[in-house]
C-alpha cells in the first residue's frame, strides 16, 4: 500500500504545506474565494499587486475572453498599501497560510516605500516584485524589459527588506534568462514566471479593439507551452527556485512545470472558471504521486527527459 506522498515545499525560506499558490491578480486577497474554498489549504496566497497610493486602473472594457485564454487590461487597480494593510492583511491573518504580497510602482522609490511598510507586518511572509505587468503606462514592465533596470530595482528592494524576495518575470522580452540571472545576482531569492503575453483582439463588426486600453495581457492555456519552455530555459540559467505559472488548469498542466524545473506553481485564469481549481489541483497532485508511487513532489522537479 502506497504511503501518502509529501507535498510540502520550501521556497526561499517560505514553508508551504503544498506547492500550489495563487497567481497575483487573479485571486484578489482571497476574500471572495473564501466563500468557496478553505484558504488555509493553499500552499501560499499571492495577493493582487499593491502600490503606494490607490489606483483606479484602466477604463473598461478591461477583460475579453479569447480562444483558450483571456485578455485583460486591469491596470493595477488597488486600494493602496495603507488600506491593504488595514483591510486585506487583517483578513488574511486569520488563516494559516503564507501570504506573499505582489508589489508594483512607478519608481524605485515607490517600490521601496511599499516594501518598507509591508516588512513591518508579521503576516507577510514574502514579497513578489512586479516588474512585468504589461497594462500600465509607466512602472511595471518598464523595470523588467532589460537587465540593468531589473537589477537596479531588485538591489534597492533587497536592501530594504529581509523578507524572501521573488521577482516576477515578463515573457515579453527576448532575454528572459539574462534578466533572471541578473536579479538572482542582485539578491532575489526566487523568480516567478510567466506574466501575461501582450496581445490584442478586434471586433470585426465595430472595427474597434475589444479592450479600451487597445492591448492587454493574454493568459490561460494558450500561453502554457511558452511558459513551460521559459521555465525550462531559466532552470538552466539560475540556482534559485522557480515558481511556474501560465495556463495551469489541472494536475497534468502543473506536472509539466515541475518536470521543466519549477519548485512550485501558481494558478491564475483557472480561478475565474472554477473557484475550487486550486484545491482540486492539490488533490489531483497527491493522487498522481500516490498512483506513481512517488514519495515526494520534489523528486520530479527538473526531471524532464531531454
Amino acid at each position: 500500500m502506497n504511503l501518502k506522498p509529501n507535498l510540502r515545499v520550501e521556497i526561499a525560506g517560505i514553508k508551504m504545506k503544498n506547492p500550489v499558490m495563487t497567481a497575483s491578480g487573479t485571486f484578489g486577497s482571497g476574500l471572495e474565494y473564501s466563500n468557496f474554498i478553505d484558504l488555509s489549504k493553499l500552499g501560499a496566497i499571492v495577493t493582487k499587486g499593491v502600490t503606494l497610493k490607490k489606483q483606479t486602473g484602466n477604463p473598461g472594457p478591461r477583460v475579453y475572453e479569447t480562444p483558450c485564454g483571456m485578455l485583460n487590461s486591469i491596470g493595477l487597480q488597488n486600494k493602496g498599501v495603507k488600506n491593504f494593510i488595514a483591510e486585506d492583511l487583517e483578513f488574511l491573518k486569520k488563516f494559516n497560510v503564507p501570504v506573499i504580497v505582489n508589489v508594483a510602482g512607478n519608481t524605485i522609490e515607490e517600490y521601496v516605500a511599499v516594501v518598507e511598510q509591508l516588512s513591518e507586518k508579521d503576516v507577510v511572509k514574502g514579497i513578489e516584485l512586479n516588474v512585468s505587468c504589461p497594462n500600465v503606462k509607466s512602472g511595471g514592465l518598464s523595470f523588467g524589459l532589460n537587465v540593468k533596470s531589473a537589477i537596479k530595482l531588485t538591489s534597492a528592494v533587497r536592501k530594504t527588506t529581509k523578507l524572501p524576495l521573488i521577482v516576477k518575470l515578463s515573457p515579453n522580452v527576448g532575454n528572459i534568462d539574462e534578466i533572471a540571472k541578473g536579479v538572482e545576482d542582485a539578491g532575489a531569492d526566487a523568480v516567478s514566471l510567466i506574466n501575461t503575453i501582450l496581445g490584442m483582439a478586434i471586433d470585426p463588426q465595430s472595427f474597434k479593439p475589444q479592450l479600451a486600453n487597445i492591448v492587454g495581457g493574454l493568459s490561460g492555456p494558450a500561453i502554457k507551452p511558452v511558459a513551460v519552455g521559459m521555465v525550462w530555459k531559466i532552470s538552466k540559467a539560475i540556482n534559485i527556485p522557480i515558481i511556474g505559472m501560465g495556463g495551469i488548469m489541472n494536475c497534468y498542466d502543473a506536472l509539466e512545470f515541475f518536470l521543466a524545473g519549477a519548485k512550485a506553481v501558481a494558478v491564475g485564469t483557472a480561478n475565474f472558471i472554477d473557484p475550487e481549481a486550486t484545491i482540486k489541483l492539490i488533490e489531483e497532485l497527491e493522487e498522481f504521486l500516490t498512483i506513481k508511487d512517488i514519495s515526494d513532489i520534489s523528486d520530479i522537479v527538473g526531471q524532464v527527459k531531454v
Side-chain angles (χ1 to χ4, degrees), residues 50-52 55 76 103-107 110-111 130 138-140 142-143:
V50 178
T51 56
L52 186 60
Q55 291 196 17
L76 291 176
V103 174
N106 293 317
T107 65
E110 286 187 20
Y111 278 92
N130 186 341
S138 60
S142 63
F143 287 105

Side-chain angles (χ1 to χ4, degrees), residues 24-26 48 58-59 61-66 69-77 133-136 195-201 210-220 269 272:
S24 174
T26 64
K48 179 168 172 53
N58 294 329
R62 308 194 295 187
V63 174
Y64 180 73
E65 187 173 351
T66 64
M70 183 180 78
L71 277 171
N72 90 83
S73 179
I74 306 301
L76 291 176
Q77 177 186 347
C133 178
N135 300 321
V136 289
N195 206 322
T196 56
I197 295 176
L198 201 60
M200 179 179 181
Q210 298 284 8
L211 297 177
N213 195 47
I214 302 175
V215 296
L218 179 65
S219 62
T269 302
F272 298 122

Side-chain angles (χ1 to χ4, degrees), residues 7-8 42 55 70 75 100 129 133 135 141 151 155 161 178 190 203 205 211 239 242 252 258 264 281:
L7 290 179
R8 293 186 299 273
L42 296 171
Q55 291 196 17
M70 183 180 78
I100 299 169
L129 275 189
C133 178
N135 300 321
L141 182 58
I151 288 175
S155 297
T161 184
E178 293 178 18
D203 180 0
Q205 297 296 334
L211 297 177
N239 296 307
I242 297 171
Y252 292 109
F258 289 120
L281 174 55

